[in-house]
Amino acid sequence: MRFIYIQSHGWLPIKEYRHNDSIERANIVAKVQFTWRRVKAIAVPIDLTVDDATTDAAINRFKTQAVDGYDLLLLEAISRAGAGQIKVITDDIDYSVVPGIQVFTSNNYVIQKAASQNKLVVR
């Protein structure tokens, strides 16, 4: 959402956006709450347990997937939940390199890459 704000209002440092614009922060909170209610209506909730088995599996995933530690744990938790195909709503570019998942994004770079590889699905 920061990028949308920048397009219409100009550059704003990330910490400024998060902490010092109370009106815009309230707008963002309302939008996230609305979106989260919609996601909860169609998503399968899962628990994230960080134990030896989860971290070992995440480290194995780390060998082949260029994502950071938090993403590794989230992907492992989703996989273990048995919720079917993994579908992720994110603008995090890291998820675009994970095989076997479906990414919903507004990240222009990811969209362009997917289009050039004939992997883009438009809804």
Side-chain angles (χ1 to χ4, degrees):
M1 291 196 186
R2 177 173 167 253
F3 299 109
I4 295 169
Y5 183 91
I6 289 170
Q7 287 176 348
S8 61
H9 295 85
W11 180 253
L12 186 66
I14 194 162
K15 295 295 182 182
E16 183 78 17
Y17 178 76
R18 287 184 184 167
H19 300 288
N20 297 330
D21 189 334
S22 60
I23 293 171
E24 197 59 34
R25 177 73 179 173
N27 290 336
I28 296 302
V29 168
K31 288 177 183 180
V32 169
Q33 288 174 323
F34 171 78
T35 303
W36 186 241
R37 283 191 301 271
R38 293 187 69 193
V39 169
K40 285 173 48 174
I42 61 170
V44 176
I46 62 168
D47 292 324
L48 173 58
T49 302
V50 181
D51 57 14
D52 283 342
T54 305
T55 54
D56 288 347
I59 289 170
N60 284 332
R61 186 184 291 268
F62 185 58
K63 295 175 188 175
T64 60
Q65 297 173 11
V67 296
D68 65 33
Y70 291 110
D71 296 337
L72 290 166
L73 291 172
L74 290 172
L75 286 166
E76 193 54 38
I78 294 167
S79 295
R80 288 172 176 261
Q85 182 186 11
I86 298 174
K87 298 179 181 181
V88 180
I89 301 171
T90 184
D91 282 339
D92 187 337
I93 193 170
D94 290 351
Y95 285 88
S96 67
V97 300
V98 177
I101 70 171
Q102 188 173 12
V103 176
F104 296 86
T105 188
S106 63
N107 183 311
N108 285 328
Y109 178 80
V110 174
I111 292 169
Q112 290 171 358
K113 284 291 187 184
S116 72
Q117 298 171 15
N118 294 319
K119 294 182 179 180
L120 183 63
V121 176
V122 179
R123 301 223 180 239

